[in-house]
Amino acid sequence: MAENKKVSKKSRKREKVERKERRFAPSQGQSSLYSGVGGMAGALALGAGVYGQWVRNPALPWAQYLVAGGAVTLGIALWFSDTSADPIRVGPVGVAIEKGSELTRIAWCDLKRVSIENKALRLEGDDLVLSVPLSTHPLAAAWILKEAVERVPDAMDVKGSQSDGLPEPKDGDGELVLVENLQIAGRHCAESDTAISFERDARLCPTCAQVYHRDHTPKKCVTCGDELAGRAYAL
Ligand SMILES: [Zn+2]
């Protein structure tokens, strides 16, 4: 965070700034079975069925649950993922989960609710729910909470005591990697609803990563209310 603030102050002019995020590998241990169970309980608590489960690696079982059937309770398609064995990235644009070479991202601006349920941090968007098990991803969870409080405070639904036991986020945590695979093309400008066909036309809010067309970037972010003039950045 500290370095983000420094960057935005210095780069009044639109310099090409390399965006970096923190990558956290899962901690090894007996806890992965636990989080599988926790993930299942979470899916059941949702009132939706468990439709699929694959065990990729017998030594470190992880499960992925597809919640289908129109996600009874919420009326949206949910992709409920247990991430106990997948690396997680946290940074200026949001949270991403690495599945092999694929990144599944949820942007800060798309987060509707951040909560802790069944020993997992639950990140809820409109059409995506990510679950970060506290047992295998304590540092990633701590960083997500720290960033979310600053970037999307309205989405926070975590009681103080629920995050007890998580480590204190420190500057040297994780491995700094370049932000990649943002998949901006196809999104719509949050101000004008203009479709963004090319990444180069996109301008991002440095706080919540909301996306605007460069010709329609407002003075203040419509999602988080932060100043965009001189701060919105190009990819
Ligand atoms: Zn914003």
Side-chain angles (χ1 to χ4, degrees):
M1 271 318 290
E3 70 239 22
N4 280 347
K5 280 195 184 120
K6 257 182 246 155
V7 166
S8 53
K9 248 187 218 163
K10 276 183 191 158
S11 54
R12 285 279 123 166
K13 290 198 119 182
R14 201 183 296 124
E15 295 164 17
K16 184 87 180 163
V17 182
E18 285 193 334
R19 303 284 152 182
K20 294 207 170 149
E21 55 190 357
R22 287 172 204 275
R23 180 180 186 273
F24 298 93
S27 49
Q28 308 288 331
Q30 29 76 263
S31 40
S32 43
L33 179 62
Y34 265 126
S35 43
V37 173
M40 184 185 291
L44 293 175
L46 261 182
V50 176
Y51 278 70
Q53 175 175 353
W54 300 266
V55 176
R56 184 197 263 166
N57 179 346
L60 194 73
W62 64 279
Q64 187 181 52
Y65 304 106
L66 273 180
V67 182
V72 200
T73 49
L74 301 168
I76 52 169
L78 284 185
W79 182 62
F80 189 86
S81 171
D82 174 37
T83 55
S84 49
D86 300 309
I88 292 185
R89 299 185 181 196
V90 186
V93 297
V95 178
I97 302 206
E98 274 181 43
K99 295 245 181 226
S101 58
E102 294 215 354
L103 286 177
T104 302
R105 282 191 181 281
I106 191 159
W108 298 117
C109 57
D110 293 337
L111 280 178
K112 297 290 178 274
R113 186 165 170 254
V114 176
S115 57
I116 291 180
E117 286 164 32
N118 300 309
K119 297 190 175 150
L121 185 59
R122 197 178 136 86
L123 308 172
E124 211 172 314
D126 274 335
D127 49 11
L128 184 65
V129 176
L130 299 179
S131 172
V132 177
L134 304 185
S135 53
T136 48
H137 271 303
L139 261 185
W143 270 94
I144 293 168
L145 283 175
K146 170 183 152 65
E147 299 267 332
V149 164
E150 290 168 10
R151 295 170 184 273
V152 285
D154 291 351
M156 297 305 293
D157 194 8
V158 176
K159 324 250 169 328
S161 60
Q162 287 183 303
S163 55
D164 284 356
L166 286 180
E168 181 92 7
K170 296 202 187 62
D171 250 0
D173 290 340
E175 171 200 0
L176 284 180
V177 295
L178 279 181
V179 173
E180 54 186 4
N181 287 3
L182 255 193
Q183 293 173 324
I184 294 295
R187 279 191 80 116
H188 286 246
C189 169
E191 169 77 4
S192 64
D193 204 36
T194 310
I196 296 168
S197 318
F198 305 103
E199 261 196 7
R200 63 172 182 268
D201 290 338
R203 296 294 179 269
L204 270 69
C205 170
T207 305
C208 74
Q210 186 55 276
V211 180
Y212 299 94
H213 191 281
R214 63 176 171 183
D215 295 336
H216 302 282
T217 307
K219 286 203 170 66
K220 287 196 166 161
C221 178
V222 299
T223 304
C224 70
D226 269 11
E227 206 70 38
L228 290 180
R231 293 183 72 229
Y233 62 90
L235 294 167

